Amino acid sequence: FSFSTHTQKSSKRPLPMENLMQPQVPRNNYLHFQEEKQRLQLKKFLLDRMFLVAMTRDNIEKKDVTEYYEQVFQSIAKPHIGEPVTGLLLMYRTFIVHILESSSGTLYRILLDYINHRKNRGEYFIQGMKIIVVSHNIPTRIFMQWHVVVIKVPVMYLDDVTQSQSLEEVITEFLTQTHKLALYFFKTLKVGVKGPGESLHQPAPELLLQEQIIKYLYRSEEFMEPETFINMYNRPIHVTLDTEVVWPAPSRF
């Protein structure tokens, strides 16, 4: 009886190898990590940010541009509730800078609207457009709403600095200035205020982009037009390469 009791007690002790084999830390893959991150941030969709530059026709009115884009945003938002568009539209004499923040699907439809207008060759204030940067899955917005600002820069700010700079330096300055301007808007404007109007060069002249920089980026061949971007967006990921195709097909002997 004593022998059986000793056997029962020893059987309850785990072997040393079993202790080593037990996982000490729960292991999750990268997909679970991203899903948990999105759940904690209470996001319904991934947030993207797009930087655009475009050339406009002469004598364009701020009211016409504002009403047009607000109508586009509303038509896109109807089937996509909860995906608002925030950003900034800077209107210069012949060029515009447009920063948009929303889901990839919403940004995709905004580009499609531009492409449809261009194909129809109707009356449209944008004559050409280039995509400078697209940032995917950004952690947060830098704009609380969508603003339109008309830039009437004095002559003293119109010196061309792109002649002595490389493309990389111009892009760096472009992104740096736009982010500084976004931070200025975030700190100074309250929710519901449409923007500082046409007097932005007075409170923050050092934050304004020179129109020559926008013109330089617009004319650079390194940046895509919306049609090229949309074609790449719709292209299938799984592409069969020529090196994967063997003819005649291999056969077993």
Side-chain angles (χ1 to χ4, degrees):
F1 180 75
S2 60
F3 178 77
S4 61
T5 303
H6 177 72
T7 306
Q8 184 177 4
K9 291 182 180 180
S10 60
S11 63
K12 291 183 180 180
R13 296 177 182 177
L15 296 176
M17 184 60 67
E18 293 178 354
N19 289 333
L20 295 176
M21 296 299 293
Q22 292 178 357
Q24 301 299 322
V25 179
R27 299 180 180 273
N28 292 327
N29 56 31
Y30 187 71
L31 176 61
H32 292 161
F33 172 77
Q34 290 293 337
E35 290 176 344
E36 181 66 14
K37 183 179 178 181
Q38 296 299 326
R39 185 186 68 80
L40 293 177
Q41 293 180 353
L42 300 177
K43 285 186 177 180
K44 296 181 180 179
F45 57 91
L46 298 180
L47 188 62
D48 292 353
R49 182 181 298 124
M50 180 179 293
F51 293 80
L52 306 168
V53 296
M55 185 171 64
T56 61
R57 57 181 174 85
D58 297 333
N59 301 322
I60 183 66
E61 296 291 337
K62 175 184 176 181
K63 180 181 178 182
D64 298 334
V65 177
T66 303
E67 292 179 352
Y68 164 76
Y69 270 113
E70 288 180 350
Q71 183 180 0
V72 172
F73 296 158
Q74 291 177 4
S75 62
I76 295 176
K78 289 181 180 179
H80 303 278
I81 300 176
E83 301 181 16
V85 178
T86 59
L88 175 65
L89 177 64
L90 300 176
M91 297 179 57
Y92 290 78
R93 184 172 55 89
T94 55
F95 290 92
I96 63 172
V97 176
H98 204 176
I99 307 172
L100 294 167
E101 299 173 330
S102 189
S103 66
S104 59
T106 299
L107 300 182
Y108 174 87
R109 290 170 179 83
I110 294 174
L111 293 179
L112 281 181
D113 183 82
Y114 161 78
I115 295 174
N116 292 333
H117 276 87
R118 183 172 181 177
K119 289 181 178 179
N120 296 332
R121 299 180 182 274
E123 185 69 17
Y124 193 46
F125 67 93
I126 296 179
Q127 306 297 324
M129 181 181 291
K130 289 289 185 66
I131 301 174
I132 306 302
V133 178
V134 180
S135 302
H136 299 287
N137 193 17
I138 58 178
T140 185
R141 299 176 185 265
I142 58 177
F143 295 97
M144 295 298 101
Q145 58 192 73
W146 184 71
H147 305 278
V148 180
V149 179
V150 178
I151 305 298
K152 293 184 178 180
V153 186
V155 178
M156 60 179 298
Y157 297 118
L158 295 180
D159 296 334
D160 189 2
V161 298
T162 60
Q163 300 295 330
S164 59
Q165 293 181 334
S166 64
L167 178 60
E168 182 179 354
E169 291 174 335
V170 175
I171 295 176
T172 301
E173 183 175 355
F174 173 81
L175 295 176
T176 302
Q177 289 298 101
T178 51
H179 278 80
K180 287 182 179 180
L181 187 60
L183 183 60
Y184 171 81
F185 272 64
F186 182 79
K187 291 181 177 180
T188 59
L189 295 183
K190 299 180 180 179
V191 178
V193 180
K194 292 187 177 181
E198 301 179 4
S199 60
L200 186 60
H201 63 275
Q202 296 178 359
E206 71 281 359
L207 300 180
L208 293 180
L209 279 167
Q210 298 183 16
E211 190 171 6
Q212 293 293 340
I213 294 179
I214 306 170
K215 181 180 179 180
Y216 178 85
L217 296 176
Y218 174 80
R219 292 185 173 180
S220 299
E221 297 180 356
E222 285 79 1
F223 303 112
M224 291 186 184
E225 296 181 351
E227 293 87 345
T228 305
F229 180 84
I230 293 297
N231 290 335
M232 293 183 60
Y233 187 91
N234 293 329
R235 186 179 303 169
I237 299 177
H238 301 287
V239 179
T240 303
L241 302 177
D242 294 339
T243 56
E244 299 176 0
V245 178
V246 179
W247 185 260
S251 60
R252 296 182 179 179
F253 294 98

